[in-house]
Amino acid sequence: MTNKVVVLGSLNVDTTLHIAQMPKPGETISAKSKTNSAGGKGANQAVAAARSGAETSFIGQVGEDGNGTFMIDALKHDRINVDHISVDDTHGTGSAVILLDEQGQNSIMVYGGANQAMKPAIVASSEGLIEASDILISEFETPQAVTLAVFKLAKQHGVTTILNPAPAAKLIDGLAEVTDLIVPNETESASLTGIEVTNQASMAANADKFTKMGIKNLIITIGDRGAYYHTATNDGFVPAFKVQAKDTTAAGDTFIGALSSEINKNLSNIEEALTYAQKASSITVQRLGALPSIPTAAEIATQYK
């Protein structure tokens, strides 16, 4: 069965500056090179889902500029439905500047632009698309009010909702109750719960806190260590695949997009889907860039026979 995945999210043109090490406060350094590519958490997640075989559609907004055309064309290249991307004639297309050091670590500065200018009214024209989908994903690079409106609509039609709370921010009222699965990294999870993630007991404590908020299912991604999962019936920790990372950009987004392509609507195969997602993200970190680094299902199957 092929999952029908809808991503509500951000579309950014990424500018990556390749540097030897991160600058100290007040320090001026030289970049060794510069690259531009399509990105944004939403776009990354949608491309990851599409390349893993999901029938993928996108709800988002770009500016009336060349970068907006560039982003729409990038999604079309992966056969993603772009019919529900609107054009804002007031705000520019979102962008990001990424500092990438020789160890593969990054720092990212994001200009929201048209992404942050989205309004809940955008949802009305997307009801048919949402109704026909299996999985709906959103993150925090677009307004939470829009996510809340879309998630409410999804729940009316029995669609499974996945929330990636990144960049970390407090959930607005009502969003937890319409979120089926939340997927933060350890820093984002601790920010939302107030409980530092240090071991499996603290991961379970985070899960309890999310349950009290109204979210019964949780995956915490913990970089190169692996991922913890908790559902109403099961919990556990799945170690990561050990690889030499070149660039961690889009690793978490690849994880979520790949996960959405495999997971059952009732989350009954969460451990298997999580393992597949970790295979995908382990390939992403061995490559440079955001969208260019995301693997296909065939590449994942070849590397992990």
Side-chain angles (χ1 to χ4, degrees):
M1 184 196 78
T2 300
N3 273 350
K4 293 182 178 179
V5 174
V6 175
V7 178
L8 163 68
S10 55
L11 298 162
N12 293 331
V13 175
D14 292 344
T15 298
T16 301
L17 299 175
H18 301 264
I19 57 178
Q21 68 275 327
M22 293 296 169
K24 299 179 180 66
E27 181 184 16
T28 299
I29 63 173
S30 295
K32 296 187 295 181
S33 61
K34 181 180 82 166
T35 55
N36 292 305
S37 62
K41 297 190 72 63
N44 296 340
Q45 291 167 8
V47 167
R51 290 184 186 171
S52 278
E55 186 179 319
T56 309
S57 301
F58 202 94
I59 301 173
Q61 187 164 267
V62 295
E64 194 174 9
D65 49 35
N67 280 346
T69 302
F70 175 72
M71 288 305 307
I72 289 173
D73 287 345
L75 296 186
K76 285 181 178 179
H77 180 74
D78 279 284
R79 298 183 296 279
I80 294 168
N81 175 4
V82 298
D83 293 345
H84 296 263
I85 297 176
S86 59
V87 177
D88 183 343
D89 60 5
T90 304
H91 301 84
T93 299
S95 61
V97 175
I98 301 167
L99 301 181
L100 176 64
D101 71 15
E102 290 176 343
Q103 283 68 51
Q105 294 303 309
N106 60 40
S107 293
I108 303 174
M109 295 149 283
V110 178
Y111 161 68
N115 296 312
Q116 285 296 327
M118 289 175 67
K119 298 289 191 293
I122 200 172
V123 174
S125 62
S126 302
E127 181 166 4
L129 175 71
I130 294 165
E131 182 180 6
S133 66
D134 301 304
I135 307 289
L136 176 63
I137 306 170
S138 190
E139 348 75 29
F140 284 171
E141 287 186 344
T142 50
Q144 286 193 46
V146 180
T147 299
L148 176 60
V150 172
F151 274 23
K152 282 182 175 179
L153 198 57
K155 296 320 300 169
Q156 290 174 21
H157 295 294
V159 177
T160 298
T161 54
I162 299 177
L163 179 64
N164 173 216
K170 182 182 178 182
L171 273 62
I172 64 172
D173 290 347
L175 185 55
E177 289 78 7
V178 288
T179 298
D180 291 313
L181 171 65
I182 191 166
V183 189
N185 64 24
E186 72 269 38
T187 304
E188 293 153 357
S189 189
S191 176
L192 289 169
T193 65
I195 302 168
E196 187 178 358
V197 176
T198 55
N199 53 28
Q200 198 152 332
S202 64
M203 296 173 204
N206 271 260
D208 288 342
K209 192 72 176 281
F210 279 117
T211 299
K212 288 173 183 173
M213 292 182 195
I215 306 173
K216 297 177 181 177
N217 305 292
L218 164 71
I219 294 174
I220 305 176
T221 58
I222 309 177
D224 60 4
R225 288 172 55 197
Y228 169 82
Y229 70 94
H230 174 93
T231 68
T233 58
N234 199 10
D235 72 321
F237 189 87
V238 178
F241 295 88
K242 297 301 179 185
V243 297
Q244 185 64 45
K246 290 182 180 178
D247 181 1
T248 56
T249 306
D253 298 331
T254 298
F255 178 95
I256 291 170
L259 178 85
S260 73
S261 74
E262 296 293 308
I263 201 158
N264 295 335
K265 286 181 67 174
N266 63 2
L267 310 183
S268 59
N269 66 335
I270 190 168
E271 186 168 338
E272 293 84 353
L274 189 159
T275 300
Y276 175 84
Q278 291 201 132
K279 290 176 181 177
S281 60
S282 76
I283 296 173
T284 292
V285 301
Q286 296 177 72
R287 302 169 171 176
L288 295 176
L291 260 61
S293 71
I294 297 170
T296 64
E299 289 174 319
I300 296 166
T302 299
Q303 181 149 332
Y304 293 100
K305 291 179 180 177

